[in-house]
Every structure is written in structure tokens, then in C-alpha cells.
Amino acid sequence: MAEVKTDYRKFKKVVVLFGQYVDGNSQNDLEALLITYLTADQEKLPQKEKRVCRNGTKGNRFVDYPYRGEVLAQVLTPFWEQELYRAGLVHQKSLDGLRNSILFKYSPFTELSEEQFELIHEIEKDTRSFLVEGTVGTGKTVVLTNLAARLCEHHDWNVGVVVKSNWVQTARGIFRAYGLGKNITVGTAYQLIRQKKRFHILLVDEAHRLRWNSPKQNHVTTGIFDPNDPRKNELFLLGERTDRLVLLYDAIQAIRPSDIPYRDFQDYVQEKHMERRMLTKQFRVRVQDKDATYTADDYVNGICSFLQIKESAFDPRVFQNPSKDAYFGIVDSIHELFDYVDERRQYHPNAQCRVLAGYARPWGSHYKPGHKRYAEFDWVEDEEHRWKWNSTYKNWIALPGSEDEIGSIHAIQGVDLDYVGVVIAKDLTCQGGKVTAVKEHYFDTNGTPPKESFSLSELSAYVRQIYYVLLTRGISGIRVYFEDPALKEHFMEVVGRT
């Protein structure tokens, strides 16, 4: 009742939740979860029908407690399904579907690990700039949404949030849904640079995708660069808009020649004396094979070893489990990948399941009929099995019909999926023990080094890193199809399969 901005005369009903598990340990946890679920429940409602969550503290942090499982199973779930739903106060009966909502996954009320909480607290209280490094699935975007919310709430700052173009509308929707849109400006690096306004702080997601004035640059964006000073890349120009930068970064997710070279990026960080921090705990990949002792880290390390990105010790049994319910498996065709994700979707109707592939086919379906490059289908296995690339790269996952398309790297970078099928196509092979790109099978025109400076080793690094991203999208399961026999043989050798 101390939240003075709320006029309680507007309210006519109250619902009280009480019981043996509702106490000082669990109440902040329940509060944060209910705010998140209530907001996600209204995601698809017309704006005029949405209710507002009033919460002045934007959620209180809770300390983990021993009976949290009982609270979730015996308090939250029945309270939602048997009380709130029956009373008509919520629209979706099951909490399972809501957990896959973008508004749930990236909620500013998301439960944070100790590592994430301490990092957010340090950045919030500090005055310096930070480089936060973490591999796939370490919660970099969750840190971003939580940090932005806390900065706006406690400091009334003008906060800039930089995301890739395929995530702009999603990020704006998240902050708007939780009543945080007033002081947060969301856009691509190009958009915020062009605005020419200053920010108290700029938070940059996917900072490894910031661009320099590359010959392979999109012509629309070249206007922000100084052709006489190659140092003035997007990182430099964002730094001119603020006294504080927070960069969320993973060097091995850079996938195009236009991404700022690693050395240039590190030089800027060193020159600006930015604080370096690491996120180490894996959250995305959840290997839950029955009786398994191997972990998600074994899977990610094995993928890195297979792609020759870095050598890391791993338990090969994560790739050897023959069970049809195992996290990892290999199939013999593209249509079997679709069979796998379709089957998973039947068992888990609310799961996000898609088939992905390397950029090893032209995007012919993008053109209109009659264009010389037009193709009705981009991927053709036989007369019965044909598919298109993702119809768009912006918010592709949310579009009806996207389940029947094949997603490229540009549609899914930064996106979590429950179950995935991945085509490791002929743009990657293994020759003389080296995992190498095959230029004639790679069709991302902006992803190939310019002719005058073409380097097969540089292209190979980009293609390997693309597959690193694709192969680490799946939360609960993945199936892989190899188009190139030599690469499949190399994989089987690395992971000890016969």
C-alpha cells in the first residue's frame, strides 16, 4: 500500500494467496513469477484489453530456498489453473505454453543466477564501461533486459538498448509490456547513431555483430561511416553517444566480414579502459538424457571441437546415446529433420520447433515470379519434399507458417528454440583434417570476403561460426543431417561414433 503512484480507489476486488509455503522465503519469488506470467498471458490481447501490472520495485530479488519445487508445484500452478483461470482473471490455463513466450523468457523479473545478479548489481552501482563476455546460452540478453529495467527504475535515466534488426520489435514489446518503455530507446546501432542524441548509458546486445566500413557493407548503412577514418566503426560511433557502454559479446558469433574484426574490437576496449567480466553458466542447452552423467557443457565443447573453433575437453557420450529421446541424434535426410520437429511439436504443442540450415542455397523464393533469380522453393530434396527459406528475418519465429520453412542464421541469431533440426550443408567440408568452407556452395553475398582480399581461411572461420550458432539453438533436443560425407566422417571420428 506504500506505492503512492497507485490509486487503490480504482480497485474493486482482491485475491489473497496464502498457505504453509507462502512465507518470507517464497513471497518475492511468487511475486516476480506472477508478474511475469500475468504479462505473458496478455501478450496476444488487443492493447485496450490489456491490464497493467502495478509494481513499484519492479520485483524484489529472492534468495534461493530449499522447498522452491514444492512452491511451484503446490502453490503457483494450482493457484493459476484452479483459481485465477476459473475466475476468468487469466486467459491461458496452462503455464507450460507461457514459459515459451518471449515476454516470459526475457522478462525483467526473470530469476537470475548469483553470477548474473552480482554482475547487474556491479554495473548498476558503478560508473565505468563494461565488456561482458559469454558463450551461447549464458544469459547475456537476460542480463540486458534486467539491467535496463533496474537502471530506468532506480535512476530515471535515458537508457539506449542496441539490438540486431531482427530483434528490435521484440525488445520494444518486452519493455512496453512491463511498463518500461518511457525511458528506454530501442534500436539497431545504425538507428541510434543516426538519432544523434546522448544517453546516460548504452547497452549493446550481440556486440560481436557491430559493423565497420567494410567493402561488403550494406550500402544503406555506409552513410554513418567516415571513409577517411576506418576506426570510426559502429562501436566508436556508439561510444560518442554516451559516457558509459555495456557490451554483451561473444567473439565466435561474428559471422560476416562486415562485423568489426576481433583485434579492432579489443583495441577499442583496451583504449577505453573498459572493465571485463565473464558469464560462465550455461542456461540454454539442457541435456536431460535418462541416467546421463554428461552435461550441456560437454555438448557445447564437443561442437566447438568438431568445428575446430577451439579444443575443449568433453564427454563424447553426449553424442553417442542411441535413444530416440536423447538430446542429440543424426538423421539421413532433410525431411527427417521436419519429421523430428513435427513429432516434438505433437508431444509438446507449445514448444518452439524449427529446421535451420547454413546459407548453402540461394534465396530464390524472396523474388517475385518472373525475376531471373526467382525460385518457388529454395531447398528441393525430391518431388515430395521441398521447402522455402525463412520468408523474412524479422521476428520469423512468430510468423504463421514459419514451421514449414527453413531458417537461416539471420533469422535465428539470438533466438532460443526448444527442438531444432539442422542441415549441415555442402558449404562446409573436411579436407586434410581441416574443416573448411566451400565457396561455391555458400550463397550469402554479404558474407563472403571481397574478391580483392578473399581468403578461404577467413570465409571458413565465418561458416564454422555460423554452424556453431545453429547447433547451439536447441534447448531440449537437436537432430542433424550432414550433406557432405567427408564432414560427417570427421564428426563421427571427433565424437567417437562408428
Side-chain angles (χ1 to χ4, degrees):
M1 300 293 284
E3 294 177 13
V4 294
K5 294 180 182 179
T6 301
D7 183 355
Y8 286 93
R9 291 172 296 182
K10 295 179 181 179
F11 294 87
K12 295 182 173 64
K13 296 180 182 179
V14 61
V15 179
V16 179
L17 172 61
F18 64 93
Q20 69 183 81
Y21 288 121
V22 183
D23 56 23
N25 290 322
S26 66
Q27 62 182 8
N28 288 336
D29 184 19
L30 285 166
E31 175 192 55
L33 285 168
L34 282 169
I35 291 171
T36 300
Y37 278 122
L38 285 165
T39 304
D41 180 61
Q42 302 178 79
E43 184 174 11
K44 296 180 181 179
L45 292 181
Q47 192 63 37
K48 63 181 180 181
E49 296 181 23
K50 293 184 178 181
R51 297 173 179 145
V52 178
C53 280
R54 299 285 188 187
N55 186 267
T57 62
K58 298 297 180 219
N60 298 305
R61 173 165 171 77
F62 70 92
V63 178
D64 197 16
Y65 48 97
Y67 48 93
R68 187 170 190 248
E70 287 87 345
V71 169
L72 300 182
Q74 299 182 40
V75 179
L76 181 63
T77 299
F79 178 61
W80 182 279
E81 297 179 355
Q82 298 171 22
E83 305 295 337
L84 298 182
Y85 181 75
R86 288 181 183 177
L89 298 174
V90 298
H91 299 84
Q92 298 189 53
K93 181 178 180 179
S94 173
L95 293 177
D96 292 338
L98 293 173
R99 292 189 185 100
N100 285 313
S101 165
I102 291 291
L103 295 184
F104 182 88
K105 288 181 178 179
Y106 299 105
S107 162
F109 301 94
T110 300
E111 176 194 357
L112 299 171
S113 69
E114 197 66 34
E115 180 181 60
Q116 291 172 325
F117 176 77
E118 289 177 358
L119 174 62
I120 289 171
H121 182 73
E122 180 183 11
I123 295 173
E124 183 184 1
K125 299 301 181 183
D126 212 316
T127 59
R128 296 169 292 182
S129 293
F130 284 79
L131 173 70
V132 179
E133 298 184 77
T135 57
V136 291
T138 49
K140 295 186 292 296
T141 304
V142 168
V143 167
L144 178 136
T145 57
N146 276 262
L147 179 58
R150 291 168 190 269
L151 291 173
C152 285
E153 178 61 31
H154 298 147
H155 301 281
D156 196 29
W157 282 358
N158 180 18
V159 177
V161 174
V162 178
V163 295
K164 293 298 294 178
S165 58
N166 69 328
W167 227 71
V168 170
Q169 293 302 322
T170 300
R172 288 174 179 168
I174 291 169
F175 293 124
R176 187 167 53 245
Y178 290 99
L180 299 168
K182 182 180 178 182
N183 294 332
I184 296 178
T185 302
V186 178
T188 64
Y190 176 75
Q191 290 168 341
L192 267 60
I193 290 167
R194 287 292 300 270
Q195 286 187 18
K196 296 185 177 179
K197 61 188 285 189
R198 285 195 63 80
F199 297 90
H200 289 95
I201 190 169
L202 272 172
L203 314 180
V204 185
D205 202 17
E206 308 276 352
H208 41 271
R209 299 301 319 281
L210 293 175
R211 297 165 295 191
W212 66 289
N213 194 12
S214 161
K216 283 287 186 175
Q217 191 56 257
N218 185 324
H219 70 280
V220 175
T221 63
T222 54
I224 63 174
F225 296 124
D226 181 352
N228 299 315
D229 191 347
R231 294 180 308 137
K232 294 188 176 180
N233 51 44
E234 285 186 327
L235 177 57
F236 180 93
L237 296 172
L238 287 171
E240 291 187 322
R241 300 281 176 265
T242 183
D243 293 326
R244 292 191 65 198
L245 278 170
V246 177
L247 308 173
L248 299 154
Y249 182 75
D250 180 7
I252 55 178
Q253 288 195 62
I255 60 168
R256 274 183 164 176
S258 57
D259 297 338
I260 297 174
Y262 176 80
R263 186 66 266 159
D264 293 351
F265 200 103
Q266 298 300 324
D267 286 346
Y268 181 89
V269 169
Q270 186 171 351
E271 178 185 330
K272 298 297 182 180
H273 305 291
M274 299 180 73
E275 293 294 310
R276 294 174 180 266
R277 298 293 183 270
M278 287 290 298
L279 290 170
T280 59
K281 187 176 180 181
Q282 167 67 236
F283 291 100
R284 178 183 295 138
V285 176
R286 298 172 190 165
V287 177
Q288 297 176 320
D289 297 356
K290 186 178 180 180
D291 300 325
T293 56
Y294 46 78
T295 67
D297 288 333
D298 290 314
Y299 174 78
V300 174
N301 289 342
I303 292 300
C304 287
S305 296
F306 151 60
L307 293 171
Q308 298 178 346
I309 290 174
K310 63 178 180 179
E311 286 296 328
S312 302
F314 68 97
D315 186 338
R317 289 176 295 177
V318 68
F319 299 99
Q320 298 169 359
N321 190 334
S323 169
K324 67 181 182 64
D325 296 319
Y327 177 83
F328 178 85
I330 297 175
V331 300
D332 297 319
S333 64
I334 299 175
H335 76 262
E336 288 179 72
L337 295 178
F338 277 93
D339 290 344
Y340 168 71
V341 297
D342 287 344
E343 180 189 37
R344 294 293 93 190
R345 196 178 293 113
Q346 290 176 20
Y347 282 109
H348 309 281
N350 296 306
Q352 296 278 25
C353 310
R354 296 293 186 278
V355 173
L356 315 173
Y359 215 133
R361 300 291 191 279
W363 193 8
S365 62
H366 181 60
Y367 298 97
K368 293 182 179 179
H371 192 284
K372 64 179 181 179
R373 296 184 180 178
Y374 169 75
E376 184 179 2
F377 295 98
D378 305 300
W379 293 81
V380 178
E381 196 163 63
D382 53 44
E383 284 298 316
E384 186 180 352
H385 302 108
R386 301 179 295 176
W387 306 273
K388 296 180 180 181
W389 273 123
N390 45 273
S391 52
T392 179
Y393 62 88
K394 293 183 178 179
N395 204 24
W396 173 64
I397 298 296
L399 295 180
S402 60
E403 300 94 337
D404 301 318
E405 298 173 341
I406 294 179
S408 74
I409 181 66
H410 304 301
I412 58 85
Q413 192 163 26
V415 174
D416 291 346
L417 297 167
D418 293 288
Y419 297 92
V420 299
V422 176
V423 183
I424 303 182
K426 290 185 177 180
D427 56 343
L428 199 64
T429 189
C430 186
Q431 296 178 342
K434 292 187 176 181
V435 177
T436 306
V438 182
K439 184 181 179 183
E440 55 266 31
H441 290 302
Y442 184 63
F443 291 93
D444 185 355
T445 54
N446 288 324
T448 308
K451 292 180 180 179
E452 60 272 15
S453 62
F454 177 79
S455 162
L456 182 60
S457 62
E458 182 183 358
L459 177 61
S460 297
Y462 292 133
V463 176
R464 289 197 302 265
Q465 289 169 193
I466 286 171
Y467 281 110
Y468 162 74
V469 174
L470 298 181
L471 291 165
T472 53
R473 292 303 95 185
I475 296 171
S476 300
I478 181 171
R479 294 297 178 268
V480 172
Y481 167 58
F482 291 90
E483 283 195 329
D484 183 81
L487 187 65
K488 182 177 181 180
E489 182 180 349
H490 162 72
F491 174 82
M492 300 296 244
E493 183 178 335
V494 168
V495 303
R497 286 182 60 148
T498 56

